[in-house]
Amino acid sequence: MRLYTRANSPFIWYDVTVAGDRLRGSSKCTGTREARAHVNALIADRLARRGVADEWRLREITGAYWQDNARHRAGAHNIWHYLTCLNTIIGPDVPMRDLTTATLINYRARRRGHSARGCSAVTVNRDLATLRAAINHAVDAYAKTPPAIAWKRVMVRENPWRTRYASADEFARLVTHAHPDLRPLLVAAVTTGLRRANLVSLEWHQVDLAGGIITLPKTKSGRAHAVTITGPLRAALASLAPADTRHGKVFDCTNFRKRWQELRIAAQVPDLRWHDLRHTFASWARLAGADLQSLMEALDHSSIMVTMRYSNVTPHGAGGAFARVAELMAGQGGDVGADAGDALQKKADAA
């Protein structure tokens, strides 16, 4: 359900899809709560006349979610794909009450075997998470009765997060064997941690070499994001084009996939993916002493829980809890007598 105002009209207008029909018009109400109640009454009347007063099908669930919420989000094209897969495999006319745990387990099995390779666990879980959000929206916005689904049983167990990153020697080989047009892109990936999509679409007006900042109007999280231009990247960017010709795209990504595939073989890192360069930035930053909070901000993560994948990377010169306690104990010669506690406390405070 979309509620909005129009110029030269004191009323709130609505735009909603019900049972495949699109309803638009004025609610004749000036308050949001009254307008929503009016539109809900229209929806109930339309469903009653079509004989589905209290029975929504999958098409109504996904349609309402798309019209009211999903189409306005940053990842709308992905959500549309998830909703399309759900309707195609489960069936758009399946009643809401028939969306059971067994139905979704069957969907999960078909989705993973839908193509020659099958979909990954992450992809299937995104489908199911989108369906769950659509059902919750139908319950919250349209007072529908939720189906009994054991979501924990339906979700697919995912593999652990991949944290492969390039060593210093591996990155040196990459730079050495890289095509001249690909080399600046490699430097940018490792010094900023930006995603490939952001780097490929980066334009010169987003780059402030004098100020040392790259600004992205919108990233995967849907927010604006800025990264610092360090020395190696500044040199790489300055060599790409004279100052008076810096217009359009920053990097030349012609034949990117072919060049990257050839480079992995030449540099003897066939298992390295491009996204692993983002992991390289994060892991090298941790090794240099960056804390998880600053790393979360640099990577533009939505939650510190995502950044926690790098918590096992220990900064150089920073021992963990066990090493710190052992160091304090070593200063006491292993003595844990009556006076050892005070001595350890003083040493800890000094540290």
Side-chain angles (χ1 to χ4, degrees), residues 235-306:
L237 292 174
S239 66
L240 288 176
D244 57 346
T245 62
R246 292 171 184 166
H247 307 289
K249 295 291 181 66
V250 175
F251 301 107
D252 182 355
C253 298
T254 305
N255 295 326
F256 171 82
R257 293 183 182 275
K258 180 181 178 181
R259 290 172 178 173
W260 172 240
Q261 180 63 22
E262 293 174 346
L263 176 58
R264 293 196 303 170
I265 297 173
Q268 300 178 5
V269 286
D271 64 323
L272 191 73
R273 304 173 185 173
W274 183 267
H275 194 75
D276 293 335
L277 298 179
R278 178 172 165 85
H279 298 322
T280 300
F281 164 81
S283 299
W284 286 7
R286 279 288 290 162
L287 290 171
D291 60 83
L292 292 175
Q293 180 63 35
S294 63
L295 194 58
M296 182 191 78
E297 296 171 358
L299 292 171
D300 192 36
H301 283 161
S302 58
S303 167
I304 192 67
M305 296 304 297
V306 182

Side-chain angles (χ1 to χ4, degrees), residues 5-229:
T5 57
R6 296 179 62 174
N8 302 322
S9 175
F11 302 120
I12 295 177
W13 294 64
Y14 61 87
D15 185 347
V16 62
T17 300
V18 182
D21 298 331
R22 188 176 184 184
L23 305 180
R24 292 180 294 176
S26 171
S27 67
K28 304 299 182 181
C29 302
T30 56
T32 302
R33 180 175 298 179
E34 294 80 4
R36 187 175 294 276
H38 173 77
V39 176
N40 283 336
L42 289 178
I43 293 172
D45 179 67
R46 176 58 63 92
L47 293 176
R49 284 190 282 125
R50 296 197 59 167
V52 288
D54 194 36
E55 188 66 55
W56 267 21
R57 297 163 295 175
L58 183 59
R59 69 167 77 245
E60 280 83 46
I61 298 171
T62 56
Y65 178 64
W66 173 258
Q67 290 290 337
D68 300 347
N69 189 334
R71 64 174 177 160
H72 306 294
R73 298 174 60 180
H77 61 287
N78 291 327
I79 297 175
W80 177 261
H81 176 68
Y82 305 149
L83 296 176
T84 301
C85 291
L86 289 163
N87 278 278
T88 300
I89 297 178
I90 296 178
D93 295 320
V94 172
M96 192 171 185
R97 65 173 182 274
D98 290 343
L99 293 175
T100 63
T101 301
T103 302
L104 298 189
I105 289 177
N106 180 63
Y107 171 83
R108 181 182 69 185
R110 293 185 60 187
R111 189 82 164 101
R112 300 209 70 181
H114 196 63
S115 62
R117 294 179 56 189
C119 295
S120 67
V122 174
T123 300
V124 176
N125 284 344
R126 286 174 179 171
D127 289 354
L128 296 172
T130 303
L131 175 60
R132 188 175 188 179
I135 292 174
N136 289 339
H137 178 71
V139 172
D140 295 339
Y142 298 95
K144 297 301 174 183
T145 302
I149 299 174
W151 290 105
K152 289 185 178 181
R153 292 186 58 190
V154 169
M155 305 301 283
V156 187
R157 184 184 297 275
E158 299 180 12
N159 294 326
W161 279 326
R162 177 183 172 92
T163 54
R164 165 77 160 95
Y165 66 92
S167 66
D169 290 340
E170 289 174 333
F171 185 69
R173 294 201 301 270
L174 286 171
V175 173
T176 300
H177 292 89
H179 186 279
D181 291 337
L182 189 58
R183 193 171 296 127
L185 202 58
L186 287 169
V187 176
V190 171
T191 56
T192 65
L194 291 176
R195 299 176 178 89
R196 184 180 67 179
N198 297 131
L199 290 173
V200 169
S201 62
L202 186 67
E203 298 192 359
W204 277 111
H205 69 83
Q206 299 171 245
V207 179
D208 180 6
L209 279 178
I213 293 291
I214 292 176
T215 305
L216 304 175
K218 183 180 291 187
T219 61
K220 183 179 178 181
S221 65
R223 303 184 299 263
H225 181 55
V227 297
T228 301
I229 301 175

